[in-house]
Amino acid sequence: AQKVTQAQTEISVVEKEDVTLDCVYETRDTTYYLFWYKQPPSGELVFLIRRNSFDEQNEISGRYSWNFQKSTSSFNFTITASQVVDSAVYFCALSGRGSNFGNEKLTFGTGTRLTIIP
Amino acid sequence: EADIYQTPRYLVIGTGKKITLECSQTMGHDKMYWYQQDPGMELHLIHYSYGVNSTEKGDLSSESTVSRIRTEHFPLTLESARPSHTSQYLCASTQQGAGGSDTQYFGPGTRLTVL
């Protein structure tokens, strides 16, 4: 069975501070995919990134960066120089290889509510 | 990125009413999904579809039903709404990604309140 754990329920930081959101996963699949989604107060889920299990390179996109470490089964997300617009709930998710539909279903973590204080 | 539309965005309705939540996508995606999310909580898959005339129940038991008569349309119906159905309902569709896995893109959601 797959599992995603986001131990941080809520985080508050002052604007311009850096913040890291933790994500730990469990899976028996050798090939799997990890995702981060952002859910602002308006409610929609915005796709941020997808990472393959065979690619452990860290990724940077503007103020966002992701640290994928298979050795610790973690896929952490860092926002540098946070802004008020970053306030949202962030979900980490996991899926297996798409060889059949059962493996394609996303397993979500419980989310981390991030509040950026102006 | 996928264009996925959900209507209505907000719905307040009385107990016992029949409702249909609409979900449409314009990208020709074969796979579509419905998730239920209580405020501040994780998402739970309630229905999914491989394609036309294919529907399956998800991990979370739901009294709702779905249909897939056209590729672009995946409506969800509650025959008799109850207060326990109050939640946000999110629709998603899948774009085939390189390497075999798919990235799910989500619609804006419908916030349902049953009085």
Side-chain angles (χ1 to χ4, degrees):
Chain A
Q2 297 180 328
K3 185 178 180 181
V4 176
T5 301
Q6 295 180 255
Q8 305 152 307
T9 305
E10 295 189 25
I11 301 176
S12 294
V13 299
V14 176
E15 195 173 20
K16 298 184 183 177
E17 286 185 355
D18 299 346
V19 59
T20 295
L21 309 183
D22 298 333
C23 174
V24 174
Y25 62 91
E26 297 175 29
T27 180
R28 294 181 180 177
D29 292 335
T30 54
T31 300
Y32 52 89
Y33 302 85
L34 294 161
F35 303 79
W36 276 96
Y37 286 88
K38 174 183 179 180
Q39 188 174 41
S42 51
E44 75 273 23
L45 226 64
V46 179
F47 166 73
L48 295 178
I49 190 172
R50 185 186 84 181
R51 211 82 188 115
N52 306 329
S53 56
F54 44 86
D55 182 1
E56 286 193 72
Q57 274 193 336
N58 292 328
E59 183 154 341
I60 298 175
S61 176
R63 296 184 297 107
Y64 295 172
S65 62
W66 291 269
N67 185 338
F68 175 31
Q69 292 196 337
K70 287 180 77 170
S71 61
T72 56
S73 298
S74 65
F75 185 44
N76 296 337
F77 173 31
T78 297
I79 301 174
T80 303
S82 60
Q83 299 176 2
V84 172
V85 293
D86 296 327
S87 296
V89 180
Y90 291 86
F91 289 93
C92 182
L94 166 71
S95 75
R97 182 175 175 82
S99 57
N100 60 64
F101 197 91
N103 282 344
E104 294 167 346
K105 287 188 284 185
L106 280 175
T107 298
F108 283 89
T110 51
T112 297
R113 181 177 299 277
L114 176 63
T115 302
I116 309 299
I117 303 167
Chain B
E1 191 167 323
D3 293 323
I4 304 175
Y5 308 96
Q6 289 187 246
T7 57
R9 290 294 312 278
Y10 302 92
L11 180 62
V12 180
I13 202 163
T15 297
K17 299 291 186 183
K18 178 181 178 179
I19 59 171
T20 297
L21 308 185
E22 301 289 348
C23 175
S24 297
Q25 49 93 6
T26 59
M27 302 302 290
H29 292 172
D30 287 330
K31 296 169 186 166
M32 297 187 73
Y33 314 77
W34 276 103
Y35 291 85
Q36 184 175 344
Q37 182 189 30
D38 292 331
M41 304 293 284
E42 64 195 286
L43 283 78
H44 294 284
L45 181 68
I46 53 174
H47 297 285
Y48 58 93
S49 169
Y50 280 110
V52 172
N53 294 324
S54 162
T55 62
E56 300 288 342
K57 290 190 176 295
D59 301 324
L60 181 69
S61 176
S62 173
E63 294 170 346
S64 58
T65 59
V66 292
S67 63
R68 191 87 183 276
I69 299 173
R70 302 197 315 269
T71 297
E72 63 272 19
H73 195 211
F74 191 39
L76 180 146
T77 298
L78 277 166
E79 290 293 334
S80 179
R82 296 207 302 269
S84 61
H85 296 139
T86 295
S87 190
Q88 170 156 266
Y89 293 84
L90 288 157
C91 180
S93 70
T94 296
Q95 177 180 18
Q96 183 70 40
S101 184
D102 306 336
T103 296
Q104 291 186 24
Y105 293 97
F106 286 79
T110 294
R111 295 195 190 213
L112 173 66
T113 302
V114 183
L115 303 176

